[in-house]
Amino acid sequence: MQHETRGVTRWRRSAFLAVPATAAIAAMATAMVQGALAANLSLTSVPFTLSSKTVAAPQGIGAVMHTIDAGGAKGAAEVGIAKAGLDGICVHATQSVNLPVVGSLGTWSLNISSPAAATPLTSDQLVAGAGLQANKLVLDAQAVKAATATLNASDTTPNVIGAAADGAGIKGTGINDGTPGQFGLDATGGRTDIKNLDADANGATIAGAITLPDLAIGIAQGDKTCGT
């Protein structure tokens, strides 16, 4: 899985959990080439979870308040990471499938995963290019949780809680639609290290290519996440 695809592929209001499952996998596989994916996982009507064992962001993170259309306007946090190294990733979405005449086929799960390394990668290794690498990763999330998060900074480049949502630091993380004068978090003063990231999201944008070692895409009946 060495070839890399550039650009941005958009999946909006996707129906990729349609039956038969093999057809859905084939449709999505056209956007996946040799383990590399340039993608906008914009599933605004289908909430999903995104998790990773370890995330290292050498240029820090930014966050602003945001409004999304998820079957009706909802408030969300828009979290941007200019550059991210991740030790594994799991994107997990579920959807109830109903077909005319046939009726309900129950709940189905879609999982897109790239497993964590057998020996956990350190933040230094991720910054050096190990693991999964992504540029301008932006999440629209109802909640972003982590076991621990370290937001480093310095006297000359402090982290700012209450920064302008359209400030240069926040824009540098990939967030380009922050409302002037609105509340933002500018934690771009140093590296951010996150352990056990778990985000409840409605959208994720990657402006560029993301390399996924050992990519796996699967559909399963029921609510079954990656590896189950």
Side-chain angles (χ1 to χ4, degrees):
M1 297 184 178
Q2 299 298 320
H3 181 69
E4 189 173 285
T5 300
R6 299 288 180 180
V8 176
T9 302
R10 298 187 179 276
W11 303 337
R12 287 201 177 275
R13 303 187 182 278
S14 305
F16 46 66
L17 295 182
V19 176
T22 52
I25 293 173
M28 287 196 307
T30 60
M32 315 280 184
V33 181
Q34 301 296 318
L37 168 65
N40 176 348
L41 302 174
S42 188
L43 316 180
T44 53
S45 61
V46 184
F48 62 97
T49 62
L50 186 151
S51 58
S52 181
K53 191 170 185 177
T54 303
V55 180
Q59 300 170 34
I61 66 172
V64 300
M65 292 186 289
H66 190 52
T67 301
I68 58 173
D69 180 9
K74 285 186 178 181
E78 191 173 18
V79 180
I81 306 176
K83 182 174 177 56
L86 303 92
D87 188 8
I89 193 171
C90 172
V91 176
H92 169 66
T94 62
Q95 186 169 318
S96 297
V97 177
N98 292 280
L99 296 179
V101 182
V102 176
S104 175
L105 295 177
T107 298
W108 288 76
S109 295
L110 167 70
N111 295 310
I112 303 172
S113 65
S114 179
T119 300
L121 297 172
T122 66
S123 293
D124 288 341
Q125 288 174 313
L126 293 170
V127 169
L132 186 160
Q133 297 293 314
N135 294 302
K136 297 293 178 67
L137 170 60
V138 178
L139 289 173
D140 285 327
Q142 301 297 310
V144 179
K145 295 164 282 186
T148 61
T150 303
L151 284 64
N152 293 291
S154 69
D155 289 340
T156 56
T157 55
N159 294 326
V160 181
I161 299 173
D166 63 332
I170 290 176
K171 285 185 176 180
T173 68
I175 299 174
N176 295 312
D177 55 357
T179 303
Q182 290 294 313
F183 181 95
L185 167 65
D186 184 345
T188 60
R191 190 171 88 185
T192 295
D193 296 323
I194 300 171
K195 295 291 186 183
N196 297 325
L197 172 69
D198 188 6
D200 297 325
N202 286 87
T205 301
I206 302 164
I210 178 171
T211 301
L212 300 169
D214 299 319
L215 171 68
I217 308 166
I219 290 181
Q221 191 167 21
D223 187 355
K224 297 178 181 179
T225 191
C226 306
T228 62

